[in-house]
Amino acid sequence: MKKHILTGTLTALLTLGGLSVPALAGPEDVVVENAWSRASIGMNRPGAAYMTISNTGDEPVTLIGLATPLAMMPEIHETKTNAEGVSSMSPAGEIVIAPGESIALEPGGLHAMLMRLQEPMTEGDTFPLTLLFDDGGEVTVEVPILSIAARGPED
Amino acid sequence: MQRRAILGYGAAGAGAVALMLFVGWWQVDGPGGPEPIGQRPVALTAMDFRLTDHEGNVVGPETLIGRPTMAFFGFTYCPDVCPTTLSDISGWLDDLGDEADEMNVVFITVDPERDTVETMAEYVGYFHPAIRGWTGPEEQIARVADGFRATYVRVPTESGDYTMNHTASVFLFAASGRFVTMIDYHEPREFAVPKIRRALEEETEGAT
Ligand SMILES: [Cu+2]
């Protein structure tokens, strides 16, 4: 896993100067931790990746999508389980992360759904996953591929 | 002090608390409890279906009678809920150790079109060895789900494939085939394992 922290001196200077700088309030302040995914069986099934995304900045950041060479259609999904115990999954849309807040992509909730795999996900490998923000910013993390039976980043 | 006064009520208090706990159990979880939302599964002895396990054996509800059973629905193209449930179950079985050997653990597909016997064999091979994978013709799967009062529906995805919405609870039956309880998706492990033990203990009571 790779932490992406960029404490931009420029951002600090401009903020001190009292200027609002939306363009710089994005990915520089985004920290991604505990990224992991499960190995796939072949390429026909979609994969899923999980991580914690934190906004360490002073402005909200809006996650609008994903990109990865591993999958043609990566997308943030959300699994929901209703009162009858029935689980379903659908695109989560844009996700706003408030200043100082984190969102957890974890089993049974939000996940990076990796549709149309371009190659099998092999245990022990990693793949780059890029988070796309509404201001055009990007954060790329290297996601470890764990066992198909993994329950969390430490497995 | 306050503490001393409370201690003075100790014996009577313990009795009252025990009674309250029992009443609470009876109402919330025991036979006096409300039906879970939806309906309870029927007994395995009242079900009628024919499926094939991942080793090609013909199986049905009678296969499960005589040992406690843990059963759940899913499909192998499921990226999130199903591998999570399967690895949770594998963890519970590890916690139970030898006790798990006395159980049937069955993963029933709701996507027989893609989940052939061979597919199920490969998939369950990645999880705890006690887990059996069952598949069969669509109309037989429908009969199983009906007996369990479980639901499943095919939903197209943007990628042109389809996914399945389905009941994600884990069902527990006694060795007699009687439905005991279910473990909801997301239920913490510290609740799940005692529930499984309860199903295991019912077997002992039923046998003597
Ligand atoms: Cu998904």
Side-chain angles (χ1 to χ4, degrees):
Chain A
M1 107 200 65
K2 177 179 163 189
K3 291 189 184 182
H4 192 105
I5 313 175
L6 238 170
T7 40
T9 320
L10 182 61
T11 313
L13 284 173
L14 291 172
T15 308
L16 283 171
L19 295 168
S20 176
V21 192
L24 291 176
E28 291 81 3
D29 298 314
V30 170
V31 179
V32 178
E33 291 172 292
N34 295 326
W36 65 284
S37 61
R38 295 191 186 95
S40 70
I41 302 174
M43 290 161 53
N44 291 333
R45 293 173 176 79
Y50 306 99
M51 67 204 70
T52 306
I53 307 170
S54 305
N55 176 6
T56 62
D58 301 324
E59 299 284 338
V61 295
T62 304
L63 179 61
I64 57 166
L66 303 171
T68 174
L70 179 69
M72 295 270 277
M73 281 192 69
E75 194 172 50
I76 304 264
H77 270 199
E78 183 165 22
T79 297
K80 287 181 180 151
T81 305
N82 70 12
E84 284 78 38
V86 176
S87 284
S88 59
M89 185 170 67
S90 54
E94 295 187 353
I95 298 173
V96 179
I97 312 173
E101 297 291 313
S102 302
I103 57 161
L105 275 57
E106 58 191 1
L110 292 168
H111 54 272
M113 176 89 163
L114 308 169
M115 293 174 285
R116 298 246 167 270
L117 290 183
Q118 299 300 290
E119 55 185 290
M121 297 171 71
T122 307
E123 183 174 352
D125 284 359
T126 65
F127 66 93
L129 180 68
T130 302
L131 312 180
L132 308 172
F133 294 89
D134 65 343
D135 60 359
E138 299 181 352
V139 175
T140 298
V141 287
E142 202 63 25
V143 183
I145 302 172
L146 310 181
S147 143
I148 193 169
R151 283 191 285 268
E154 66 289 340
D155 277 4
Chain B
M1 287 176 50
Q2 192 110 25
R3 183 179 170 81
R4 197 172 295 264
I6 289 168
L7 285 174
Y9 294 117
V17 167
L19 180 64
M20 278 161 56
L21 285 175
F22 174 75
V23 169
W25 166 81
W26 184 269
Q27 288 172 345
V28 174
D29 220 15
E35 300 292 285
I37 299 166
Q39 285 175 288
R40 293 166 76 90
V42 302
L44 290 168
T45 45
M47 293 189 200
D48 180 21
F49 59 83
R50 278 287 153 276
L51 296 175
T52 307
D53 76 6
H54 68 273
E55 290 176 322
N57 305 300
V58 175
V59 290
E62 71 286 350
T63 312
L64 304 174
I65 306 296
R67 282 153 46 105
T69 295
M70 177 152 58
F72 61 104
F73 296 89
F75 62 112
T76 75
Y77 280 64
C78 166
D80 183 42
V81 167
C82 307
T84 303
T85 304
L86 278 158
S87 43
D88 281 348
I89 286 175
S90 299
W92 302 337
L93 293 172
D94 288 342
D95 282 4
L96 287 163
D98 290 347
E99 290 176 80
D101 298 344
E102 300 158 27
M103 293 199 90
N104 304 306
V105 188
V106 186
F107 167 48
I108 303 165
T109 184
V110 292
D111 183 16
E113 184 177 319
R114 291 184 295 201
D115 289 340
T116 61
V117 170
E118 297 72 33
T119 303
M120 293 298 274
E122 181 179 16
Y123 195 73
V124 298
Y126 289 101
F127 299 93
H128 193 284
I131 301 173
R132 316 285 300 173
W134 288 14
T135 184
E138 162 58 32
E139 76 274 9
Q140 293 295 319
I141 300 287
R143 292 174 73 150
V144 186
D146 189 48
F148 278 78
R149 307 292 184 248
T151 64
Y152 60 95
V153 61
R154 186 169 164 156
V155 181
T157 59
E158 317 98 281
S159 63
D161 289 330
Y162 63 92
T163 185
M164 305 293 298
N165 296 352
H166 62 89
T167 302
S169 309
V170 176
F171 298 88
L172 291 165
F173 295 87
S176 64
R178 196 179 71 79
F179 170 68
V180 177
T181 188
M182 56 179 95
I183 302 167
D184 290 331
Y185 189 62
H186 275 328
E187 198 159 315
R189 197 166 178 153
E190 54 269 31
F191 296 145
V193 171
K195 279 187 170 181
I196 299 168
R197 288 223 163 86
R198 213 167 93 205
L200 285 162
E201 280 156 16
E202 294 229 1
E203 176 207 29
T204 326
E205 284 164 24
T208 49

